Amino acid sequence: MTAQSRGESWSATVLTLFPEMFPGPLGHSLAGKALKNGLWRLETVDIRDFARDKHRSVDDAPFGGGPGMVMRADILAGALDHVRSGLAPRVAGRVLYLSPRGRRLDQALARELAGQDGLVLICGRFEGVDQRALTGRGIEEVSVGDYVLSGGETAALVLLDAVVRLLPGVIGDAAALEEESFAQGLLEYPQFTRPQIWEGQEVPAVLTSGHHEKIRAWRLAQAEALTRERRPDLWERYLRSTKSRG
Ligand code: 9WO
């Protein structure tokens, strides 16, 4: 049973020092429309609300020295324990920390996360969070790519965009999702629209031929050629999966 099949909506709870960054760009996408329509829920929790001193500090200098500041384990765990106590256990199940050290987000992980009842996302700032909070609360780390950002928020927005569009009903046309080359492990084929000639470049004739089977075959061949040239890693995996499918 999933949240969706029980008629509850998939929920994201985001712990951050910058709640005003959400939904941000997601409000301008299909995900934003789906949020308005109640297909998923977004809640932000300001980690600073769990600071206990009069300066509301959430960070401190790293033990062992070094630059910058580290988010305190007690403050972060306090915020996390508070939000999980208010969530149904299954919704509170999976807690992810956005970090370049984590499991790389790909379409398979996005599908897996869309199949949960919801997620709790933790966005770090400074030079990171005290390791004991991650260890002590069994927090999973997820990366959106091999680069360093100034905080986990933009990574959380990327993750949510990838996951929410996979929720039932978010993309009206389920066939559109299936059709995506990436769903089959290929890069997208090239697209064309009017005008038919632009700066001397013509639209490939097959696309205006009206032969639907030829169009399908041409697009598949284009997607395969692009994948083989640009992403040998995806190409190898695709060859193995199409061989095993026969
Ligand atoms: C900065 C830094 C400076 C000196 C010594 C060690 C240091 N570590 C970091 C660091 O990792 N900063 C992170 C910034 C802390 C957590 C939030 N930040 C973050 C998340 N940057 N990049 C991500 C991220 C998340 C998911 N996928 C890709 C990148």
Side-chain angles (χ1 to χ4, degrees):
M1 280 294 263
T2 63
Q4 298 99 293
S5 68
R6 285 191 309 277
E8 295 160 23
S9 40
W10 190 94
S11 77
T13 306
V14 181
L15 278 66
T16 171
L17 288 170
F18 298 98
E20 64 281 6
M21 287 179 72
F22 296 85
L26 296 180
H28 299 267
S29 63
L30 269 176
K33 196 175 152 204
L35 187 57
K36 284 195 191 105
N37 293 339
L39 291 173
W40 65 294
R41 301 190 311 135
L42 174 66
E43 198 184 329
T44 54
V45 172
D46 189 343
I47 296 168
R48 200 171 293 284
D49 289 344
F50 294 84
R52 289 182 306 270
D53 61 316
K54 72 168 196 269
H55 296 108
R56 303 227 296 158
S57 64
V58 296
D59 57 330
D60 209 332
F63 276 122
M69 302 291 271
V70 174
M71 193 178 288
R72 285 169 49 154
D74 56 337
I75 308 291
L76 179 59
L80 180 59
D81 293 348
H82 173 84
V83 310
R84 292 178 95 187
S85 72
L87 292 170
R90 52 176 156 240
V91 177
R94 209 143 171 191
V95 181
L96 311 181
Y97 173 61
L98 283 307
S99 152
R101 303 192 309 193
R103 170 177 170 191
R104 269 287 277 282
L105 178 66
D106 59 14
Q107 199 63 22
L109 179 55
R111 271 191 218 112
E112 190 181 313
L113 297 176
Q116 305 287 122
D117 292 296
L119 297 175
V120 177
L121 302 179
I122 298 174
C123 303
R125 282 274 159 171
F126 320 117
E127 276 59 70
V129 309
D130 188 312
Q131 180 60 39
R132 294 170 297 181
L134 303 177
T135 306
R137 290 297 180 273
I139 297 168
E140 297 174 56
E141 296 183 60
V142 173
S143 167
V144 301
D146 293 339
Y147 36 76
V148 179
L149 304 168
S150 46
E153 286 81 4
T154 48
L157 289 165
V158 167
L159 181 146
L160 287 172
D161 194 354
V163 171
V164 166
R165 59 192 296 287
L166 300 179
L167 299 175
V170 172
I171 294 188
D173 188 0
L177 264 182
E178 272 315 299
E179 277 275 304
E180 274 174 40
S181 301
F182 218 97
Q184 306 159 233
L186 291 172
L187 300 181
E188 294 292 324
Y189 52 77
Q191 300 275 16
F192 301 87
T193 187
R194 279 187 281 270
Q196 200 179 338
I197 303 178
W198 177 76
E199 293 191 349
Q201 297 188 73
E202 287 188 43
V203 171
V206 63
L207 298 179
T208 53
S209 69
H211 289 103
H212 299 295
E213 185 49 37
K214 278 188 186 166
I215 292 171
R216 196 201 58 78
W218 182 85
R219 285 177 165 166
L220 178 60
Q222 290 283 314
E224 288 181 342
L226 275 169
T227 306
R228 186 163 38 79
E229 286 161 22
R230 298 189 187 176
R231 293 293 304 273
D233 56 326
L234 294 181
W235 180 243
E236 280 307 312
R237 193 170 358 156
Y238 172 76
L239 285 181
R240 279 194 299 270
S241 74
T242 49
K243 266 182 213 150
S244 65
R245 251 182 256 145

